Amino acid sequence: MVGDDQRLTIPYWFNEMVSYRPESLKYVDGVAVHYYTDMFVSPVKLEAVTKTHPEKFILATEACEGVNAGQKNFVLLGSWERARSYILDILEDLNYNLVGWIDWNLCLDPRGGPNWASNFADAAIIVDKTNDEFIKQPMFYAMGHFSKFIPRGSRRIKVKEHKSIFELSLRHVAFITPRGTIVAVIYNDGRSQTISITIKNRQLKVKLEGDSVSTIEFQSDEVMTLQTKGIDK
């Protein structure tokens, strides 16, 4: 893999490599990309690879919270906001054909280490050796909505969303899995609401809590439609 840096650098480094040494592509399977500036850089940058060299995969190889500018707490127990950042970034990456998403830290201590460079950060699991316990953070469960239900070999499918002009769009992605099911991950960034998921002549009503992520799995057909039915007061 080449790159292993932020989205912003992909077009420059990839195009520089291809133009300077075209034969180098023979030794490249894919491109690695990091998470830390995604909130400032459009995922359209990823198309520098996917449109020109669709045979090369892109993998998100490093992500964590607690290290960005302005974040004063390396470890912030129970932070939904950090889980939300994970959810939105994974959804965005998957919709731009990234093949996976890797957290930088599986487990850290309550300080956000150990780390020889004092480069402390947050993690999905915090291990408290003093109290002989570990804490699963909201980020852990956020990742589980994807890692538990979208197995290797899944293929992303199209989702059509129908809503009124006054309703917020949902963030979502859907896959056909090797086990013959459709998995849809839906993030509702607003108030609680009820939606209908339609596949051909079948329909399922789902209530989405406000500021929540939901994963739905069911038997597969090719096209899925999301339709907002109204917002609960």
Side-chain angles (χ1 to χ4, degrees):
M1 291 184 287
V2 298
D4 209 28
D5 204 343
Q6 313 306 317
R7 284 178 183 174
L8 184 64
T9 67
I10 287 180
Y12 173 77
W13 288 115
F14 192 77
N15 291 330
E16 184 78 5
M17 178 187 66
V18 172
S19 61
Y20 185 66
R21 285 286 188 269
E23 66 274 16
S24 63
L25 281 177
K26 295 186 299 183
Y27 307 100
V28 174
D29 293 312
V31 177
V33 64
H34 289 187
Y35 161 86
Y36 306 104
T37 61
D38 284 2
M39 67 286 291
F40 308 115
V41 182
S42 169
V44 171
K45 294 289 184 183
L46 303 169
E47 294 180 348
V49 177
T50 56
K51 285 189 174 181
T52 58
H53 297 279
E55 75 283 3
K56 308 298 183 186
F57 67 78
I58 307 178
L59 176 65
T61 54
E62 183 180 312
C64 71
E65 284 288 317
V67 297
N68 291 334
Q71 293 180 335
K72 297 179 180 179
N73 300 96
F74 298 120
V75 174
L76 195 58
L77 296 180
S79 172
W80 168 251
E81 191 60 33
R82 291 183 177 180
R84 177 183 181 275
S85 295
Y86 269 29
I87 293 164
L88 294 179
D89 196 73
I90 296 172
L91 284 172
E92 191 172 71
D93 278 357
L94 291 177
N95 275 299
Y96 274 81
N97 297 323
L98 269 70
V99 299
W101 197 95
I102 301 173
D103 191 316
W104 193 27
N105 311 294
L106 178 62
C107 303
L108 293 176
D109 64 26
R111 188 185 179 192
N115 190 304
W116 67 270
S118 297
N119 185 20
F120 302 115
D122 210 342
I125 298 174
I126 298 299
V127 179
D128 188 343
K129 183 179 178 180
T130 302
N131 294 316
D132 193 26
E133 65 180 9
F134 65 90
I135 301 166
K136 294 179 180 178
Q137 295 266 58
M139 290 182 289
F140 173 86
Y141 295 100
M143 293 176 66
H145 276 272
F146 304 91
S147 61
K148 289 180 67 175
F149 296 97
I150 306 175
R152 184 171 299 189
S154 298
R155 295 182 294 116
R156 185 166 61 88
I157 60 173
K158 184 176 182 179
V159 178
K160 298 178 181 178
E161 183 177 1
H162 301 294
K163 66 180 187 64
S164 77
I165 60 174
F166 302 106
E167 293 165 339
L168 295 173
S169 291
L170 299 169
R171 311 289 184 92
H172 49 73
V173 71
F175 289 83
I176 292 181
T177 73
R179 51 181 175 253
T181 62
I182 283 181
V183 170
V185 184
I186 306 169
Y187 181 71
N188 176 24
D189 206 11
R191 294 177 293 174
S192 65
Q193 59 177 307
T194 299
I195 65 169
S196 293
I197 299 176
T198 303
I199 302 178
K200 293 187 177 179
N201 60 346
R202 293 182 293 157
Q203 189 175 86
L204 172 70
K205 292 184 182 297
V206 179
K207 182 174 180 179
L208 305 177
E209 299 297 333
D211 296 321
S212 68
V213 60
S214 303
T215 299
I216 303 101
E217 184 172 20
F218 38 84
Q219 290 302 311
S220 69
D221 281 301
E222 288 294 327
V223 178
M224 187 175 74
T225 300
L226 297 181
Q227 185 169 359
T228 301
K229 286 297 185 183
I231 297 178
D232 296 330
K233 301 290 186 181

